[in-house]
């Protein structure tokens, strides 16, 4: 670790804590900026439903904010809807609306939809980073964004501040690369009204005249912004602070780092000279008085002039200088012992908090230390059963493996093994502990690598699938395309013979990409089902009819078995319901012989509706029954060899069923067929027409 990193690790938390306390001691700072929040609060969501709202609501809201100087809407409009044109007209009527743009975890920018972006007065980025325990905001450089460029744009708060300054005839605020935020006060002190009250006309339009109006979500558990005053606040408090700091020219003014360092060094040197040769009680008094003076100066400057005078480093330097003087001489030995005790405590705390199991033994293998994480690896899960016993007795390695490990340790080299203990895989690492340039002991670390190996297995499966199932059709496409270029077909029949493989290969690649995208969408937190009551019979009939020609081409039959006359009603997304059973029916046809009968059986096991797809196909080996749900896994038998597929169909199917709070199971007899049974919860509502 470098000296700079060590200093930062020591002083930064203290500095942040001291700055937070200065904010809290100062309390609420009145703002001269005319600003009011229209809060999408718990009451608004209770009345109008959870977000996203119908955009007509926002259009109504803007019409009631007509007199506002600037309106900033901290709500994302990145997905097109049928009400975009209506909202765009409302934005145009207001004329001074700033919209929000966010960023995904991979820094992909989520812009408002074009109809809204074109009529807005500006778009502000709400993806700006917060650093230093939420006490700083790094803003993007103010660079105009031209078509086709990838330059950064301004943050949400700076766009609002610039627009208001322009409309109010004020000088444009200077936006540095980093704003040191001067938080006005707790989020609850922001002047605000409830969005539902505005929509219902309970707030007079005059309340918003010539005001900066921020529209944002303050409902419980939506944001987790930490400020010096709040442990959990809405992100709108950040935009409020940025606007206030820029328009009120009230951002914190930090001392230059070099000046702070110079003052700290000079003070420490001066204090060291002053304390030399003085009694211990007087050294302590002078040191504390000097540090208290610096703290008092920092508090006064912050309170009166919003100047951020660092506290931790200078005051710490003074205390350290005095401390070194105090512990000289007869205290040197006591200091060394105390440091050793503290080091042992820190080491103990670190080892106790580690998820990695640690066991230490002497050179001949007697255990003298273990951390709590190692307890599950000992008999009967006891915490200290083997202290003083032999490390080899735990049975983690065979006698031969222990001999090899001890040979490596004897030469000062670590030894590493992968072992399987129960149902988990672990990495067992033995490291020699040196003492007086000799191996004085052994440190054994056990790390669970089960998930790591599983990820590697999935990665290898995916690479193998990509290598074969994408490269092969692409090779076909390129080969036939080059053949068409070199030797044009002389007849329609020859043309068809060359074009058909190209189309078939392209369809295979398209299927692969579609499966990848489908799995990615389903696993996305933003994936949402459009659930409605539907009749199982009414949804299955057209699916079976669609596949019947494909079945007849193979002399097979699709049969509806034991279907009740009364409709079986479930709550499901129609599109996803079709996707589930199209996958199962297609698999039944694909992984079975010609001239088979595929039965679709319905039954009611209240409160569940069971739908079974029963085929007479090749069947699934017992060892593969649990693995068929894994992404990229494919059963490899002589019958399935050469059948195209990605190994994603059943993984997608299972995820869709579970998203419906249903269940799916399979039973199979190799060579006789399989039965996939899906259960949905029954509904008493009538299906949509």
């Amino acid at each position: 670790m470098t000296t700079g990193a060590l200093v930062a690790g020591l002083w930064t938390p203290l500095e942040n804590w001291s700055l937070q306390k200065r904010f809290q001691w100062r309390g609420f700072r009145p703002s001269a900026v005319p600003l009011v929040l229209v809060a999408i609060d718990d009451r608004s969501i209770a009345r109008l439903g959870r977000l996203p709202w119908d955009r007509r609501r926002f259009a109504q809201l803007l019409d009631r904010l007509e007199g506002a100087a600037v309106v900033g809407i901290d709500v994302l409009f990145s997905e097109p809807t049928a009400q975009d044109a209506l909202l765009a007209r409302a934005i145009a009527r207001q004329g001074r609306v700033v919209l929000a743009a966010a960023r995904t975890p991979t820094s992909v920018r989520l812009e408002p939809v074009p109809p809204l972006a074109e009529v807005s007065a500006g778009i502000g980025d709400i993806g700006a980073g917060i650093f230093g325990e939420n006490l700083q905001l790094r803003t993007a450089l103010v660079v105009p964004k031209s078509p086709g460029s990838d330059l950064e744009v301004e943050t949400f708060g700076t766009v609002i501040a610039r627009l208001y300054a322009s409309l109010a005839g004020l000088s444009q605020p200077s936006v540095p690369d980093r704003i040191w935020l001067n938080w006005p006060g707790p989020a609850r002190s922001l002047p605000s009204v409830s969005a539902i009250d505005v929509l219902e006309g309970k707030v007079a339009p005059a309340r918003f005249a010539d005001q900066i109006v921020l529209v944002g979500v303050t409902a419980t558990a939506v944001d987790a912004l930490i400020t010096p005053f709040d442990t959990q606040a809405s992100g709108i408090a950040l935009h409020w602070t940025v606007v206030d700091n820029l328009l009120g020219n009230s951002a914190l003014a930090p001392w230059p780092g070099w000046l702070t360092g110079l003052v700290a060094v000079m003070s420490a040197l001066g204090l060291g000279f002053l304390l030399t040769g003085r009694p211990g009680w007087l050294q302590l008094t002078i040191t504390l008085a000097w540090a208290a003076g610096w703290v008092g100066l920092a508090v006064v400057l912050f309170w009166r002039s919003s100047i951020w005078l660092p506290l931790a480093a200078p005051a710490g330097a003074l205390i350290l200088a005095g401390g070194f003087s105090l512990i000289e001489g007869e205290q040197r030995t006591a200091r060394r012992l105390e440091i050793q005790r503290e080091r042992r405590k820190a080491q103990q705390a670190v080892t106790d908090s580690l998820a990695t199991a640690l066991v230490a033994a002497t050179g001949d293998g007697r255990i003298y230390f273990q951390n709590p994480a190692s307890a599950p690896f000992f008999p009967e899960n006891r915490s200290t059963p083997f202290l003083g016993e032999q490390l080899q007795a735990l049975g983690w390695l065979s006698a031969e493996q222990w001999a090899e490990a001890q040979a490596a340790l004897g030469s000062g080299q670590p030894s590493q093994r992968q072992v399987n203990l129960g149902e988990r895989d672990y990495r067992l690492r033995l490291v020699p502990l040196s003492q007086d340039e000799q191996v004085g002991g052994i440190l054994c670390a056990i790390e669970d690598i089960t998930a790591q190996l599983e990820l590697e297995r999935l990665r290898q499966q995916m690479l193998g699938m990509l290598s074969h199932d994408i490269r092969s059709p692409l090779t076909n496409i390129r080969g036939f395309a080059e053949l068409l270029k070199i030797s044009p077909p002389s007849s329609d029949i020859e043309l068809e013979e060359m074009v058909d493989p190209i189309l078939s290969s392209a369809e295979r690649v398209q299927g692969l990409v579609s499966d990848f995208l489908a799995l990615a969408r389903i696993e996305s937190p933003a994936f949402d089902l459009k659930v409605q009551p539907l009749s199982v019979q009414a949804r299955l009939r057209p699916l079976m009819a669609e596949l019947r020609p494909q079945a007849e081409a193979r002399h097979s039959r699709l049969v509806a078995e034991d279907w009740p006359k009364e409709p079986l009603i479930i709550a499901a997304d129609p599109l996803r319901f079709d996707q589930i059973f199209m996958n199962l029916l297609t698999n039944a046809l694909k992984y079975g012989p010609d001239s088979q009968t595929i039965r679709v059986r319905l039954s009611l096991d209240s409160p569940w509706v069971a739908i079974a797809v029963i085929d007479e196909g090749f069947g699934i080996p017992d060892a593969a029954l649990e693995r068929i749900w894994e992404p990229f896994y494919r059963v490899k038998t002589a019958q399935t060899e050469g059948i195209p597929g990605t190994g994603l169909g059943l993984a997608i199917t299972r995820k869709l069923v579970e998203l419906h709070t249903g269940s799916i199971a399979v039973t199979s007899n190799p060579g006789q067929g399989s039965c996939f049974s899906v259960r949905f919860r029954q509904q008493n509502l009538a299906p949509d027409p």
Side-chain angles (χ1 to χ4, degrees):
M1 179 182 293
T2 64
T3 304
L6 180 61
V7 172
L10 288 171
W11 300 128
T12 300
L14 291 174
E15 191 60 58
N16 287 333
W17 177 84
S18 71
L19 181 57
Q20 181 184 33
K21 290 303 177 185
R22 276 176 273 183
F23 274 117
Q24 294 173 352
W25 292 336
R26 186 201 65 191
F28 175 68
R29 173 181 58 79
S31 173
V33 178
L35 189 146
V36 62
L37 166 66
V38 174
I40 302 175
D41 52 12
D42 291 325
R43 194 158 57 89
S44 301
I45 289 179
R47 292 285 298 278
L48 300 179
R50 64 184 183 87
L51 294 175
W53 284 352
D54 190 305
R55 294 186 180 173
R56 289 175 293 188
R57 298 288 187 191
F58 291 100
Q60 296 169 5
L61 191 64
L62 285 174
D63 288 340
R64 296 187 180 276
L65 302 176
E66 184 178 359
V70 176
V71 178
I73 304 180
D74 182 19
V75 178
L76 298 181
F77 297 115
S78 58
E79 295 291 335
T81 71
Q83 290 79 38
D84 287 345
L86 175 66
L87 180 55
R89 289 193 294 273
I91 293 174
R93 284 194 299 273
Q94 211 290 331
R96 300 168 301 280
V97 178
V98 176
L99 300 179
R103 293 184 184 275
T104 67
T106 56
S107 297
V108 175
R109 186 173 168 81
L110 301 177
E111 299 275 1
V113 293
L116 307 184
E118 291 169 359
V119 297
S120 68
I123 299 174
D125 198 323
I126 60 173
I130 303 296
F131 301 91
E133 299 245 345
N134 301 289
L135 302 182
Q136 315 168 24
L137 170 65
R138 184 184 298 276
T139 64
L141 294 175
V142 183
V143 180
K145 188 169 184 179
S146 58
S149 72
D150 192 28
L151 298 175
E152 296 285 354
V153 295
E154 291 185 81
T155 61
F156 189 66
T158 59
V159 173
I160 294 173
R162 288 186 181 280
L163 181 58
Y164 180 80
S166 177
L167 294 171
L170 305 175
S171 59
Q172 284 293 318
S174 174
V175 182
D177 177 63
R178 177 177 294 181
I179 299 175
W180 299 89
L181 294 177
N182 190 357
W183 296 87
R188 64 179 179 275
S189 62
L190 172 61
S192 64
V193 295
S194 176
I196 189 63
D197 290 340
V198 177
L199 287 169
E200 293 179 351
K202 296 179 181 179
V203 181
R207 177 70 177 83
F208 309 110
D210 300 323
Q211 297 281 308
I212 298 174
V213 178
L214 298 178
V215 180
V217 183
T218 63
T220 304
V222 172
D223 280 341
L225 176 68
I226 300 175
T227 77
F229 301 97
D230 306 283
T231 57
Q232 183 170 348
S234 167
I236 204 72
L238 174 64
H239 310 316
W240 163 42
T241 302
V242 173
V243 172
D244 170 84
N245 285 189
L246 292 179
L247 292 178
N249 195 26
S250 58
L252 291 183
W255 264 35
W258 67 268
L259 184 57
T260 302
L262 179 62
V263 171
V265 171
M266 295 302 294
S267 297
L269 291 175
L271 184 63
F273 177 78
L274 184 63
L275 297 179
T276 301
R278 299 184 183 276
W281 66 268
L282 184 57
Q283 291 184 23
L284 179 61
T285 301
I286 294 173
T287 300
L288 293 178
W290 201 316
W294 184 268
V295 172
L297 177 63
V299 171
V300 171
L301 288 177
F302 183 85
W303 195 297
R304 297 292 185 185
S305 307
S306 296
I307 294 176
W308 181 4
L309 182 65
L311 251 178
L318 296 176
I319 294 174
L320 286 177
F324 281 127
S325 296
L326 287 171
I327 60 177
E328 283 181 348
E330 70 276 2
Q331 297 295 326
R332 186 172 301 166
T333 301
R335 178 175 62 86
R336 184 171 60 252
L337 295 175
E338 182 63 24
I339 290 175
Q340 292 175 351
R341 284 195 296 270
E342 291 300 322
R343 184 178 298 167
R344 284 195 294 269
K345 289 180 183 178
Q347 291 171 345
Q348 184 68 43
V350 169
T351 56
D352 286 350
S353 64
L354 287 176
T356 300
L358 296 177
V359 177
T362 59
D364 58 359
R366 291 193 310 278
I367 298 173
Y368 65 85
F369 167 81
Q370 64 175 119
N371 69 343
S374 68
F377 299 98
F378 287 83
E380 300 179 12
N381 205 20
R382 291 174 293 178
S383 58
T384 56
F386 268 78
L387 294 183
E389 300 294 332
Q390 289 295 315
L391 188 61
Q392 297 92 320
L394 294 176
W396 294 339
L397 296 177
S398 66
E400 182 180 350
Q401 290 171 333
W402 272 116
E404 293 176 359
Q406 287 182 320
L409 293 170
S411 61
Q413 299 298 318
S415 176
Q416 183 170 295
R417 293 273 183 176
Q418 180 178 321
V419 297
N420 180 272
L421 303 176
E423 297 181 354
R424 311 290 293 180
D425 292 298
Y426 298 89
R427 180 185 293 117
L428 183 66
R429 183 174 174 82
L430 301 173
V431 181
L433 299 176
S434 300
Q435 181 179 3
D436 297 330
E437 300 183 356
Q438 306 237 344
V439 177
I442 304 170
L443 178 64
C444 179
I446 312 171
E447 181 183 1
D448 191 336
I449 58 172
T450 307
Q452 195 175 333
L453 293 178
E454 178 64 15
L455 286 175
E456 176 61 21
R457 184 185 64 80
L458 288 176
R459 186 182 73 86
Q460 293 295 339
Q461 286 183 347
M462 184 181 70
L463 290 177
M465 188 275 296
L466 290 174
S467 175
H468 178 270
D469 291 342
I470 290 184
R471 182 186 297 172
S472 178
L474 289 178
T475 301
N476 288 342
I477 292 172
R478 179 171 181 174
F480 280 102
E482 289 178 348
L483 186 59
L484 280 171
K485 183 178 180 181
I486 296 172
S487 177
S490 58
S491 66
D492 291 343
I493 295 177
E494 187 177 345
L495 175 62
E496 184 176 351
E497 290 176 349
M498 299 177 72
V499 170
D500 284 348
I502 294 177
L503 294 176
S504 175
S505 297
E507 288 175 359
R508 286 178 60 191
V509 174
Q510 184 179 11
L512 289 169
V513 174
S514 297
D515 283 350
F516 271 116
L517 294 178
L519 186 62
R521 281 194 297 269
I522 293 169
E523 292 183 337
S524 168
F527 183 77
D528 191 18
L529 294 174
K530 296 178 175 58
V531 175
Q532 64 185 56
L534 56 84
S535 166
V536 172
Q537 295 97 318
R539 295 304 303 184
L540 287 176
R541 285 192 188 98
L543 291 180
M544 295 173 66
E546 181 179 344
L547 289 174
R548 198 157 277 126
Q550 182 179 339
E552 291 173 352
R554 298 185 59 184
H555 308 290
S556 297
R557 296 190 307 144
L558 292 175
V559 177
E561 182 177 89
D562 297 335
W563 284 24
K565 294 181 180 180
E566 294 297 324
L568 297 178
I569 309 302
I570 63 172
D573 184 321
L575 178 63
R576 305 307 173 188
F577 179 92
D578 292 354
Q579 188 176 356
I580 290 169
F581 288 98
M582 185 60 78
N583 277 349
L584 294 179
L585 291 170
T586 302
N587 278 358
L589 282 169
K590 186 165 61 171
Y591 294 101
D594 293 344
S595 304
Q596 67 165 320
T597 298
I598 298 171
R599 293 169 291 155
V600 180
R601 179 185 298 165
L602 303 183
S603 61
L604 177 61
D605 183 15
S606 184
W608 299 98
V609 173
I611 309 164
V613 177
I614 308 166
D615 62 52
E616 298 172 353
F618 306 135
I620 304 168
D622 292 343
L625 284 175
E626 287 301 320
R627 300 201 59 194
I628 60 174
W629 312 109
E630 299 176 8
F632 309 113
Y633 180 79
R634 301 191 66 201
V635 177
K636 294 182 179 180
T637 64
Q639 294 96 332
T640 61
E641 187 70 27
I643 298 177
T646 63
L648 293 175
L650 288 179
I652 293 171
T653 298
R654 186 179 196 177
K655 288 183 181 294
L656 288 174
V657 171
E658 291 174 347
L659 286 173
H660 284 86
T661 65
S663 64
I664 183 170
V666 60
T667 58
S668 183
N669 292 316
Q672 299 180 23
S674 304
C675 174
F676 285 84
S677 180
V678 182
R679 287 157 58 93
F680 290 97
R681 190 172 292 275
Q682 184 186 19
Q683 298 291 309
N684 296 322
L685 301 175
D688 290 346

